[in-house]
């Protein structure tokens, strides 16, 4: 995202079978003097005052659905390079390079390769992990108390008919059933339209290993708690009864609760946010993925997947670089945006997502991947960061604010590459991809 700042993994070593030492080379490949690097490598989910650290070096543990970041010792933000302590300075001059490092947990399952993430560019896939000791002197995370720093990756999806939405964290599946579809206004009796929704949810529970299923009723902020709480409980109980009658597995117990409007998923400031908050949430262990048929080893071509738009009178081009399947049901979408005009233009359409989506910073979240045959739409993943007040959500995609506040400005002929992490259906083939204002495209899954 920063022109002429090249990032390369030059070392990825597993230590004691449980830690990783990641070494990154940063190079100034252009002619700009005093190219800043420290803020570019800082973890965007931490306070901006910590930008002098290389705290954004991480690994995506796709199977565990976790974004792993450097350990945090008691006296500093991370076990990683510090531009002042390590004498690296703030800038890199033309033709020069520096090496930075981070010490973090190794991904689960003892894999031979890793997905390396930095704030600078899309994730780097299939980076080999060496079990040899790294060359150099790096801090030992076992020598002092350290705190694990990771971000849970949630993959949302929704039915095209708006009857339900799901959130998958790799361990549990949370199914939010729309109360507007399940019930008449102010009622707790299931409508005829609820039958197919109940049947699909029951099939998912049958396919999981859960012995306990939680069912929670929720309302929006309209009305008052004296009405909302008992109504939300009765609706949850109605869903429990319907699911119990449809399940084929025995020994499944239910935990049912009504929360009224106390646990909104989205802001109640919009009609869409309110609609989504009127829900019955069913949570259970994620079903095992279906076995996919082997597919050809030669990736399908993604050439010619382009679109055009305009920004401030300048022609803006988009080209999809790939839609790649990663482990753990993940997908990686990468695409390029180019200003083909003769003047600078601010292209601000990538973060103009629906109003009910809220992230800590603006990001390239205006992306949808659709499986028309399955009637489902896949939204950008989100990284959850615990806070004193609850949880902050960050898009698992390219930032366009914070440190990257000028990312939406494109000089003439300038190209930037963007990415999104999303869920992908197990069925191989072609999916429809809609990016910002550009035309929808049929994109093969690689």
């Amino acid at each position: 995202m920063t022109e002429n700042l090249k990032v390369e993994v030059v070392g990825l070593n597993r230590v004691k079978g449980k830690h990783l030492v990641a070494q990154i080379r940063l190079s100034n490949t252009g002619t700009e003097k005093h190219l800043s690097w420290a803020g570019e490598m800082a973890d965007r989910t931490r306070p901006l005052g910590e930008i002098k650290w290389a705290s954004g070096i991480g690994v995506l543990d796709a199977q565990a659905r976790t974004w792993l970041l450097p350990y945090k010792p008691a006296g500093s933000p991370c076990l990683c390079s510090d531009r002042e302590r390590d004498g690296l300075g703030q800038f890199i001059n033309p033709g020069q390079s520096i090496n930075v490092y981070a010490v973090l947990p190794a991904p689960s399952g003892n894999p031979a390769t890793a997905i390396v993430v930095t704030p600078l560019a899309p994730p780097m896939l299939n980076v080999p992990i060496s079990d040899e000791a790294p060359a150099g002197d790096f801090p030992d995370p076992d020598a002092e108390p350290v705190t694990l720093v990771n971000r849970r990756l949630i993959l949302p999806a929704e039915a095209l008919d708006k009857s339900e939405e799901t959130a998958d964290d790799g361990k549990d599946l949370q199914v939010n059933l729309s109360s507007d579809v399940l019930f008449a206004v102010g009622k707790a009796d299931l409508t005829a339209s609820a039958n197919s929704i109940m049947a699909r949810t029951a099939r998912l529970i049958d396919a999981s290993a859960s012995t306990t299923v939680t069912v929670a009723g929720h309302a929006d902020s309209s009305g008052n708690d004296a009405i909302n709480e008992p109504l939300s409980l009765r609706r949850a109980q109605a869903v429990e009864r319907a699911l119990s009658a449809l399940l084929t597995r025995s020994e499944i117990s239910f935990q049912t609760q009504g929360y009224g409007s106390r646990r909104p998923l989205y802001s109640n400031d919009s009609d869409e946010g309110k609609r989504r908050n009127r829900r019955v949430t069913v949570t259970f262990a994620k079903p095992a993925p279906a076995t996919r048929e082997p597919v050809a080893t030669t990736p399908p071509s993604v050439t010619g997947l382009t679109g055009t738009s305009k920004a401030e009178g300048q022609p803006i081009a988009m080209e999809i670089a790939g839609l790649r399947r990663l482990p753990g049901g993940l997908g990686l979408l990468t695409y390029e945006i180019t200003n083909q005009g003769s003047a600078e233009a601010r292209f601000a359409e990538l973060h103009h997502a629906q109003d009910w989506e809220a992230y800590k910073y603006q990001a390239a979240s205006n992306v949808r991947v659709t499986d028309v045959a399955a009637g489902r739409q896949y939204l950008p993943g989100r990284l959850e960061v615990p806070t004193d007040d609850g949880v902050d959500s960050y898009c698992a995609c390219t930032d366009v604010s914070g440190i990257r506040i000028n990312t939406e400005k494109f000089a003439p002929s300038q190209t930037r590459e963007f990415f999104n992490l999303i869920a992908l259906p197990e069925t191989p083939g072609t999916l429809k991809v809609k990016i910002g204002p550009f035309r929808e495209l049929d994109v093969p899954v690689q």
Side-chain angles (χ1 to χ4, degrees):
M1 297 304 299
T2 299
E3 196 171 18
N4 300 323
L5 182 55
K6 182 179 181 180
V7 55
E8 302 169 273
V9 181
V10 294
L12 196 59
N13 298 78
R14 189 164 24 221
V15 178
K16 301 179 184 178
K18 59 181 180 179
H19 310 301
L20 276 185
V21 175
Q23 299 177 71
I24 304 289
R25 178 182 295 129
L26 301 174
S27 304
N28 182 348
T29 61
T31 59
E32 177 186 351
K33 293 183 178 180
H34 307 307
L35 181 65
S36 179
W37 69 269
E40 306 290 344
M41 290 297 289
D43 173 21
R44 59 183 172 146
T45 66
R46 303 191 196 202
L48 290 179
E50 299 178 0
I51 63 174
K52 68 190 186 75
W53 301 80
S55 55
I57 300 172
V59 166
L60 175 61
D61 189 339
Q63 293 290 358
R65 205 62 63 76
T66 304
W67 190 287
L68 301 169
L69 289 166
Y71 294 109
K72 178 178 173 58
S76 66
C78 71
L79 285 185
C80 63
S81 292
D82 171 9
R83 74 183 188 208
E84 295 175 359
R85 180 198 63 206
D86 299 331
L88 297 169
Q90 183 176 351
F91 304 107
I92 306 174
N93 288 322
Q96 293 185 343
S97 300
I98 64 169
N99 282 7
V100 296
Y101 75 87
V103 184
L104 60 153
S108 59
N110 199 37
T113 63
I115 301 171
V116 176
V117 291
T118 73
L120 286 170
M124 292 177 275
L125 309 182
N126 303 318
V127 179
I129 300 176
S130 171
D131 285 303
E132 297 182 0
D137 184 19
F138 301 99
D140 181 359
D142 294 329
E144 59 178 316
V146 294
T147 301
L148 286 171
V149 180
N150 55 49
R151 311 306 186 203
R152 190 169 66 148
L153 176 60
I154 309 296
L155 300 181
E158 61 186 7
L160 294 180
D161 62 7
K162 298 186 177 182
S163 61
E164 50 86 1
E165 61 180 271
T166 57
D168 174 4
D169 67 0
K171 179 181 178 183
D172 293 326
L173 186 65
Q174 178 178 291
V175 183
N176 297 309
L177 307 175
S178 172
S179 291
D180 290 11
V181 177
L182 298 182
F183 307 101
V185 176
K187 303 297 182 181
D189 301 313
L190 289 168
T191 65
S193 302
N195 293 337
S196 61
I197 302 169
M198 292 295 101
R200 177 183 179 275
T201 306
R203 288 194 296 270
L204 290 171
I205 297 172
D206 275 334
S208 80
S210 269
T211 57
T212 301
V213 176
T214 63
V215 183
H218 302 273
D220 64 20
S221 59
S222 305
N224 57 64
D225 289 341
I227 296 174
N228 285 338
E229 291 204 14
L231 177 61
S232 66
L233 175 59
R234 292 199 305 273
R235 287 178 166 181
Q237 291 169 336
V239 169
E240 177 194 341
R241 289 192 296 269
L243 292 175
S244 297
L246 292 168
L247 292 175
T248 60
R249 283 199 301 123
S250 59
E251 300 180 352
I252 296 179
S253 61
F254 286 84
Q255 296 176 351
T256 306
Q257 182 67 51
Y259 292 101
S261 60
R262 287 181 286 135
R263 296 189 176 183
L265 275 180
Y266 307 106
S267 170
N268 282 298
D269 292 338
S270 69
D271 290 340
E272 181 67 2
K274 287 183 176 180
R275 184 192 71 79
R276 290 174 181 269
N277 285 332
R278 296 190 295 268
R279 70 198 190 278
V280 176
T281 300
V282 184
T283 305
F284 48 92
K286 179 187 174 183
T291 302
R292 290 194 296 121
E293 293 294 325
V295 296
T297 55
T298 302
S301 172
V302 294
T303 58
L305 296 175
T306 61
T308 57
S309 183
K310 282 195 172 182
E312 298 182 338
Q314 303 302 309
I316 304 296
M318 179 276 299
E319 181 171 10
I320 293 178
L323 179 58
R324 296 171 175 82
R325 188 181 300 279
L326 307 183
L330 278 171
L332 173 64
L333 173 68
T334 52
Y335 56 98
E336 294 181 343
I337 303 293
T338 302
N339 179 2
Q340 294 183 327
S342 58
E344 181 182 80
R346 180 182 292 275
F347 181 66
E349 298 296 326
L350 292 181
H351 75 258
H352 287 170
Q354 298 181 47
D355 57 3
W356 52 269
E357 292 181 281
Y359 299 103
K360 185 69 173 179
Y361 295 113
Q362 291 178 351
S365 56
N366 193 4
V367 171
R368 296 292 183 270
V369 176
T370 304
D371 184 345
V372 176
R376 295 198 69 73
Q377 182 171 255
Y378 301 90
L379 285 67
R382 62 178 184 264
L383 301 172
E384 293 194 338
V385 182
T387 68
D388 294 338
D389 300 324
V391 173
D392 278 339
S393 289
Y394 293 76
C395 184
C397 62
T398 304
D399 280 342
V400 294
S401 66
I403 292 295
R404 312 206 180 285
I405 196 167
N406 290 320
T407 296
E408 294 178 331
K409 284 186 178 180
F410 286 78
S413 302
Q414 185 173 30
T415 297
R416 288 195 174 104
E417 188 175 17
F418 294 79
F419 81 93
N420 293 80
L421 287 173
I422 56 172
L424 276 187
E426 290 298 322
T427 306
T430 298
L431 299 174
K432 291 189 176 296
V433 176
K434 182 75 167 66
I435 298 173
F438 303 102
R439 65 189 177 104
E440 189 172 62
L441 296 167
D442 293 319
V443 180
V445 179
Q446 298 175 282

